[in-house]
Amino acid sequence: QALTIDKYNPYVCHAFGLLEERLGHADRAQQLWEHALTRRSTAALICSLAELHVAAERHVEARELYATHLVRLLPQTRRDREITEVFLAAAWLEEVHFSDFLAARQLLEHCLKAVPNNNSRAQVALARLEGRQNKYFSATAAANGGSSFKPGGSPKSSYSSRRSSMGSKAITRERLKAACTELEQQQKDESSSSNKKKKCDGDGRLFNAWAHIEVKSGRLNAARDILSRGILHFPRDHSLLQAAGKVEE
């Protein structure tokens, strides 16, 4: 009935498509999502349709779908969350289904340029990607007797020797630490220019991700310090407070 009122409504088409998918009518879900996307690109429609393609092993179609609709979304500067969502999904596709870490990294870096302010999701995703990339590269090198290439054909010489010798967790930690330090410096500069203390917009996802690594490594005091730094900047971020409580427990 809703579609008789507005047959291209993206929210109705998406919800109806999810229902059809759960009932086993994948073709009908695809038709609904493609129909709505002819009028408006939304992250929910794009990602759901791409996941449908991936489930059917149509990986190239999913890649093309992301590329097509990112071009549509990027000029819409007020849709930062949706732009980030699609970039993250596209990067995941490149990494998991094409083993193309370079393409995944480029997508995440493009995301940070397109949505530069408070984009903690993309920053955390990039840090974790770098760690998994190093792990994949090291495993490939070991399997080939120490002679390997990066996914996508780039030679090992493009890696710094120091980073290539680091573990995946250490690389992710290093990236998150740098991002948190940069965020703290940014707040310090803003406070100095305005002559009053100002809390950062956004969330404490970067601090939480960094602290999580320390907890998994058994470095609880380090995790406590990191979370305290995060809470100082994002005192209303409940996830930081909850993580800090678990560390104390």
Side-chain angles (χ1 to χ4, degrees), residues 55-128:
E57 299 188 354
R58 299 190 296 266
H59 303 134
V60 173
E61 286 89 337
R63 171 190 268 173
E64 292 173 348
L65 179 74
Y66 286 133
T68 297
H69 289 281
L70 277 171
V71 172
R72 293 186 186 179
L73 283 171
L74 284 173
Q76 304 177 40
T77 54
R78 294 185 179 181
R79 299 176 68 184
D80 288 355
R81 185 193 63 78
E82 295 203 47
I83 292 170
T84 298
E85 190 76 29
V86 177
F87 266 117
L88 292 177
W92 174 84
L93 177 73
E94 294 296 337
E95 176 189 352
V96 174
H97 293 286
F98 292 98
S99 297
D100 193 337
F101 289 87
L102 177 60
R105 181 187 180 87
Q106 288 173 338
L107 283 164
L108 293 175
E109 289 175 342
H110 193 175
C111 180
L112 287 169
K113 290 179 182 179
V115 187
N117 297 323
N118 307 313
N119 198 344
S120 60
R121 292 186 66 195
Q123 288 178 307
V124 170
L126 183 56
R128 289 173 173 165

Side-chain angles (χ1 to χ4, degrees), residues 215 220 227 239-249:
V215 169
L220 298 182
L227 291 169
S239 63
L240 284 175
L241 297 170
Q242 184 178 29
K246 288 182 176 179
V247 168
E248 295 299 330
E249 183 182 5

Side-chain angles (χ1 to χ4, degrees), residues 88 91-92 95-96 101 104 108 124-139 151 159 167-169 171-172:
L88 292 177
W92 174 84
E95 176 189 352
V96 174
F101 289 87
L108 293 175
V124 170
L126 183 56
R128 289 173 173 165
L129 173 68
E130 288 186 352
R132 291 192 300 269
Q133 180 181 15
N134 183 76
K135 183 177 180 179
Y136 179 94
F137 177 77
S138 299
Y159 275 88
S168 59
K169 190 179 294 184
I171 288 178
T172 302

Side-chain angles (χ1 to χ4, degrees), residues 2-198:
L3 287 178
T4 61
I5 299 171
D6 184 359
K7 64 180 181 179
Y8 291 100
N9 187 295
Y11 307 105
V12 177
C13 287
H14 182 248
F16 199 177
L18 289 176
L19 177 60
E20 294 285 8
E21 183 184 25
R22 289 168 186 169
L23 291 172
H25 307 152
D27 291 345
R28 178 57 181 156
Q30 181 175 342
Q31 290 172 4
L32 282 162
W33 294 335
E34 289 177 340
H35 172 75
L37 284 169
T38 60
R39 293 293 182 90
R40 183 182 178 187
S41 298
T42 71
L45 287 168
I46 297 163
C47 294
S48 292
L49 182 54
E51 288 171 6
L52 202 64
H53 285 318
V54 169
E57 299 188 354
R58 299 190 296 266
H59 303 134
V60 173
E61 286 89 337
R63 171 190 268 173
E64 292 173 348
L65 179 74
Y66 286 133
T68 297
H69 289 281
L70 277 171
V71 172
R72 293 186 186 179
L73 283 171
L74 284 173
Q76 304 177 40
T77 54
R78 294 185 179 181
R79 299 176 68 184
D80 288 355
R81 185 193 63 78
E82 295 203 47
I83 292 170
T84 298
E85 190 76 29
V86 177
F87 266 117
L88 292 177
W92 174 84
L93 177 73
E94 294 296 337
E95 176 189 352
V96 174
H97 293 286
F98 292 98
S99 297
D100 193 337
F101 289 87
L102 177 60
R105 181 187 180 87
Q106 288 173 338
L107 283 164
L108 293 175
E109 289 175 342
H110 193 175
C111 180
L112 287 169
K113 290 179 182 179
V115 187
N117 297 323
N118 307 313
N119 198 344
S120 60
R121 292 186 66 195
Q123 288 178 307
V124 170
L126 183 56
R128 289 173 173 165
L129 173 68
E130 288 186 352
R132 291 192 300 269
Q133 180 181 15
N134 183 76
K135 183 177 180 179
Y136 179 94
F137 177 77
S138 299
T140 304
N144 293 338
S147 175
S148 183
F149 293 88
K150 288 172 58 180
S154 300
K156 179 181 177 180
S157 59
S158 64
Y159 275 88
S160 70
S161 58
R162 183 178 70 86
R163 286 182 69 80
S164 63
S165 64
M166 294 171 65
S168 59
K169 190 179 294 184
I171 288 178
T172 302
R173 177 191 287 118
E174 182 183 70
R175 177 82 185 199
L176 290 170
K177 179 180 179 180
C180 289
T181 302
E182 182 180 352
L183 183 61
E184 289 174 318
Q185 185 60 48
Q186 179 184 349
Q187 187 198 16
K188 182 178 179 181
D189 293 342
E190 289 176 354
S191 297
S192 298
S193 62
S194 63
N195 294 319
K196 64 180 181 178
K197 194 170 183 179
K198 179 182 177 183

